[in-house]
Structure formats: C-alpha cells, structure tokens
Amino acid sequence: MEEKDENKQLKRGLSNRHIQLIALGGAIGTGLFLGIGKAAVLAGPSVILGYAIAGVVAFFIMRQLGEMVVEEPVSGSFSYFANKYMGPFGGFSSGWNYWVLYILVSMAELTAIGIYVQFWWPEIPLWVSSTFFFIVINSINLASVKVYGETEFWFSIIKVAAIIAMILFGSYLLISGSAGERATVENLYNDGGFFPKGWLTNAQDGSYQGLLAALVMIMFSFGGLELVGITAAEAENPEKNIPRATNQVLIRILIFYVGALFILFSLMPWRTITADTSPFVEVFNALNSFEFTLFDKTYYFTTIIANILNLIVLTAALSVYNSCVYSNSRMLYGLAEQGNAPRFLKKLNKNHSPIAAIIVSAILVAVCIVVNKIIPEKALEILMSLVVSSLVINWIMISFTHIYFKKQKIKEGVNTKFPSLFYPISNVICLVFLVGVLVMMWFTGLKISVELIPIWLLILWLSYLMVKRNKAKS
C-alpha cells in the first residue's frame, strides 16, 4: 500500500544544481537579450538603476514565496498557499491566472522559435519548426522531472555563458580601447546626465518617458522568477536548496543585469540604441573587426556572430517554453489536488510526471497556435495584453498571500525556517511598486492591459462560482 501511495506522488528528482540554474535561468529570458532596447530608449543610462530597483522588488517577492514553500514544500506553490490562507477563491484565481498566463507565453515562444529556426533554414514553414519543438519539449516533460531539470540546466548554462562572454568581451573592449573613441564610461553621464529623460517626462507625442516609464518594461524581464516555488514539491532537500537558490538571485541579478548594462552603456552612446535592436547585438557586432588565421586562411567573425546570437535567443525561447510546460502542468496538478480542477488532472505516469496535466496544457497551446493563424491581428494583441495583466496579478497575489500566511504563523507561534526580509515593510514596498507599475502601464501605451484586469477577475470569479456549484451538486 505504501508503494502504491508513493506512485501517486510527484518525485523529488531536482538536485541542488538543477534548482540553482532553474532559479538563474528564470531571470534570463528573451526579454534580457532583445527587450532592453525599448527600456533604454525610454530612460537612457538610468535604466541600469531601474533594473536594480526592479531586481530588489523581485528578490523581496522571491523571499516571500520562499518562506512559504520551504515551510510547506507542496505542489501548486502559491496557489496552494492562497487556497489555504486566503480562501478557495484565492487558490482558484491565482492558480488559473498563472496557468492562462503561461499558456499564452507558450504560444508566443513557440512562434518565436519558428522565426529563429528560419534564420538558418528560411524554407521551413513556421508551423513545422514550432510543431517539432512542441513535441520535443512536451516529450521531455513527460519523462522524469530529472530529465526536465537536466534540460533546463543546460539551457541556462548557454544563456549564462553568453552574458558572461559579453561582459568579459565588453570589458576587454573598454580597457583595451579596441572599440574606438566612443567607447568610454563617460557615456553613462556625458549626454544629458545619468537621467537624460528624468524620472518621468511628457514627450512631444504625448507619451511618457523617463525611469518610471521604463520600469514597466523592466519589471517584465523578471517574469519567471517564481518558478523556483513551483519546483518545491520535486526538489531534493527543499529546506536547504531553495533558500540557497533564492538568496543567490539578488547578487546574480546585480551581476547579469546591472553589470551587463553598465558595460553596454559604456560601450556606446545611449542615443544610438533603438527600440527595435538589442544592445547585445551591437556589442557582438564589434567582433566584426576581428579576424583570425587558420592553416594560412583568414576568417572573419561576421557569420559566426550572427549564428551565435541566433543560437542564444533560440536557447532562451526553448528554455522559457520548457519551463512553461513544467510549471503549467504542476499548477494544474496542484489545482486538482485542491479540488479547483478536474480530478483526472492528478494522474501521474510511471515517471511520476503529471501526464494528464501536461497533455491538457499541450492541447490548449496547440489550439492557441492554430488560433494565432486565423484570428485578426487585433484579437491576438488583446490576448497578449492579458499576459501583461496576468503577470502583475500573479506577483500581487504572492505578496498578499504571504501577508495572510505570516499572520497565521505568528498567531500559531511558529518560527518559520526561512523568514522573508523586512516583513511587513517589504510586502508594502512590493505592492506599492506593482500598483505603480499598473499606473504607468495606463500612461505608456498598455492601457488595455489595465482595463482587462477587472474583466479577467470577473471571468475568474464567475468560473469559480460554477465550479463551486458543481461541487455542491456532486
């Protein structure tokens, strides 16, 4: 009987190195490689400070989530805690909001993957490469959780290696003077100062610019950090490994984001950066002036650079989709355990992977990809705006849930194993910051995302009432 019960549970197959790289990889996505340009245009060099501020807020939220999952390392993560400490609707809404969020992200990443593959083989239709990686990644997740962890480990290694290479090469260019006269640390302040567009200014076209406006773009670069909390039910020794991974996130953010941006903005005047290009591309393009000789033949880096960059962004997209499949299946599994999703979603295969949850999520992603081909462009834009709304709701729910969790533990006289920093001040800071992000979204072209939030919450509430009624009848 004991063996039978064990077969009905998720298996702890994620080692310390898996957790460490999953935590780090969660902070490094296509947003870092391709999205920095938009934030740089809005704020100039002060975007470096913006990433530091957003990184601290993200770290506070990770510590809040970390305290809960170390105390109770169960499936469902923050949805489980919202269900337990805020009530059934809290668990229902946070879990399904998260699931829908990453179904849409999966759709976007699969589309991006197809585009990156066409860089090498333009004759391959988008749907062919998207379908191929759709099958591969879902197959990986149907294997044991250790296979997922190993795959994500190597995806993250490639991303981390790319940033380290950029920092080292950029530092070499600055110190050696090989990047030319325009590459100097003075670029950080000699063209309008460190805050060339202030904290918040109104541009001629009526839009807002400045550091506060850029925080909207910056905040979404950190989406995915909560993945560490999802791994709790399958992590080896979660009381030790999750705190270690969580605590190292802040210093890694400072190195990989702030450090990389310091180099980038030193290498080129900030006005040369555009919203449509990546500063990373510009730095690697500096390699075009380098050449090497092998067997009496001279080679240039031009082609090599383009291929390396495409490999990096392809890896980042595959990593995000891989994590989407993993986290979505575990969230559905957790919702089923709460009674907030159909019971069949608790079914595990022989590898202890939630096979039903993986298949259901995969079917919905496949439907989204088909819908992407046939719906008008405006409809797709509205769907993707829901991603922005869902991410903000997700972080607000984590911080709110932690407040309820902490009050209950204090009432019970329980000293938690991994207490968050500066409770409740850090919770207030996070919530004020996130509400501020919503306000800036309203003024910076993302008004529809804010308008969708009450509509989306109403849909979740009506869905919850239907589920509650069906439960009562059964």
Side-chain angles (χ1 to χ4, degrees):
M1 175 66 73
E2 186 176 347
E3 183 180 353
K4 184 178 179 181
D5 290 338
E6 285 181 1
N7 287 335
K8 292 182 179 179
Q9 297 176 0
L10 298 175
K11 190 175 183 180
R12 296 193 180 277
L14 296 175
S15 66
N16 176 54
R17 69 183 178 90
H18 293 144
I19 299 296
Q20 296 292 322
L21 267 295
I22 288 171
L24 182 54
I28 303 173
T30 49
L32 173 60
F33 295 110
L34 301 175
I36 289 176
K38 294 179 181 178
V41 168
L42 287 172
S46 65
V47 76
I48 299 173
L49 176 61
Y51 273 93
I53 293 171
V56 170
V57 171
F59 177 65
F60 281 156
I61 291 176
M62 281 196 68
R63 282 297 301 257
Q64 292 159 17
L65 179 59
E67 179 175 10
M68 294 188 287
V69 299
V70 169
E71 199 66 22
E72 300 176 62
V74 296
S75 60
S77 188
F78 45 85
S79 174
Y80 165 86
F81 297 110
N83 185 72
K84 182 174 181 178
Y85 296 101
M86 290 182 66
F89 178 64
F92 180 92
S93 58
S94 61
W96 284 107
N97 173 74
Y98 184 87
W99 184 76
V100 169
L101 163 64
Y102 283 103
I103 286 292
L104 293 173
V105 171
S106 295
M107 179 191 74
E109 294 299 331
L110 277 172
T111 302
I113 287 167
I115 294 172
Y116 300 145
V117 169
Q118 283 188 334
F119 175 85
W120 290 306
W121 300 287
E123 69 278 4
I124 296 179
L126 284 176
W127 71 268
V128 172
S129 48
S130 296
T131 302
F132 173 78
F133 285 107
F134 171 83
I135 294 171
V136 169
I137 297 298
N138 279 282
S139 298
I140 287 171
N141 279 268
L142 285 170
S144 67
V145 69
K146 189 172 183 179
V147 175
Y148 158 76
E150 200 66 30
T151 305
E152 194 56 31
F153 175 85
W154 288 106
F155 279 158
S156 297
I157 285 288
I158 293 173
K159 293 188 289 185
V160 170
I163 296 179
I164 292 176
M166 192 286 303
I167 292 175
L168 292 176
F169 179 65
S171 300
Y172 164 75
L173 292 177
L174 275 176
I175 296 170
S176 67
S178 301
E181 295 181 359
R182 73 172 188 168
T184 170
V185 176
E186 294 179 1
N187 284 329
L188 295 172
Y189 55 82
N190 68 0
D191 185 7
F194 187 69
F195 291 88
K197 299 191 177 182
W199 287 90
L200 188 65
T201 58
N202 201 310
Q204 293 180 350
D205 60 0
S207 64
Y208 285 86
Q209 298 180 341
L211 180 58
L212 293 180
L215 281 174
V216 175
M217 301 289 180
I218 293 168
M219 179 259 182
F220 299 115
S221 295
F222 295 106
L225 282 174
E226 68 281 347
L227 181 61
V228 176
I230 303 290
T231 66
E234 295 169 283
E236 296 175 358
N237 196 1
E239 291 185 13
K240 178 181 179 182
N241 292 334
I242 289 180
R244 182 183 298 175
T246 302
N247 284 334
Q248 291 179 3
V249 161
L250 182 61
I251 187 65
R252 287 167 173 172
I253 285 174
L254 292 176
I255 293 173
F256 292 114
Y257 276 88
V258 179
L261 288 172
F262 179 88
I263 298 296
L264 287 171
F265 279 91
S266 297
L267 284 172
M268 67 187 74
W270 66 269
R271 292 187 190 274
T272 63
I273 300 173
T274 68
D276 299 324
T277 61
S278 167
F280 283 89
V281 175
E282 296 298 324
V283 171
F284 279 102
N285 276 342
L287 276 169
N288 288 344
S289 60
F290 287 75
E291 60 185 55
F292 66 94
T293 302
L294 184 64
F295 301 120
D296 297 324
K297 187 174 181 180
T298 301
Y299 295 87
Y300 296 90
F301 279 89
T302 307
T303 304
I304 297 175
I305 296 163
N307 283 279
I308 289 175
L309 285 171
N310 199 62
L311 176 63
I312 292 169
V313 293
L314 174 60
T315 300
L318 286 170
S319 173
V320 172
Y321 178 52
N322 191 35
S323 294
C324 284
V325 174
Y326 171 80
S327 57
N328 260 357
S329 61
R330 271 56 181 183
M331 186 58 73
L332 272 189
Y333 178 85
L335 284 167
E337 286 199 318
Q338 297 166 24
N340 285 323
R343 293 177 59 86
F344 79 89
L345 293 170
K346 294 169 61 176
K347 181 177 177 58
L348 303 178
N349 63 13
K350 64 179 181 180
N351 298 317
H352 299 267
S353 294
I355 181 172
I358 291 173
I359 291 174
V360 168
S361 297
I363 290 172
L364 262 292
V365 171
V367 169
C368 283
I369 292 173
V370 173
V371 170
N372 186 20
K373 300 295 183 185
I374 59 177
I375 63 174
E377 186 176 332
K378 193 67 179 178
L380 178 61
E381 181 182 323
I382 293 173
L383 279 176
M384 295 316 296
S385 295
L386 187 58
V387 170
V388 180
S389 308
S390 299
L391 184 58
V392 177
I393 293 171
N394 183 34
W395 283 28
I396 288 175
M397 285 295 293
I398 291 174
S399 203
F400 258 125
T401 300
H402 178 259
I403 292 174
Y404 283 86
F405 164 87
K406 197 72 174 177
K407 285 182 178 179
Q408 183 64 31
K409 294 304 175 184
I410 291 173
K411 183 179 178 180
E412 295 172 356
V414 175
N415 293 319
T416 56
K417 304 180 184 72
F418 185 49
S420 63
L421 296 176
F422 312 123
Y423 167 84
I425 296 174
S426 63
N427 297 75
V428 174
I429 291 172
C430 292
L431 292 171
V432 169
F433 176 84
L434 291 169
V435 170
V437 167
L438 289 176
V439 173
M440 291 314 308
M441 285 166 59
W442 182 273
F443 290 108
T444 55
L446 292 171
K447 185 177 179 180
I448 187 174
S449 296
V450 182
E451 292 173 336
L452 281 173
I453 289 178
I455 298 172
W456 175 230
L457 290 176
L458 177 61
I459 292 172
L460 287 171
W461 171 248
L462 294 175
S463 301
Y464 168 72
L465 291 179
M466 290 177 59
V467 170
K468 186 178 179 182
R469 186 178 63 181
N470 291 335
K471 276 196 214 175
K473 287 182 179 180
S474 60

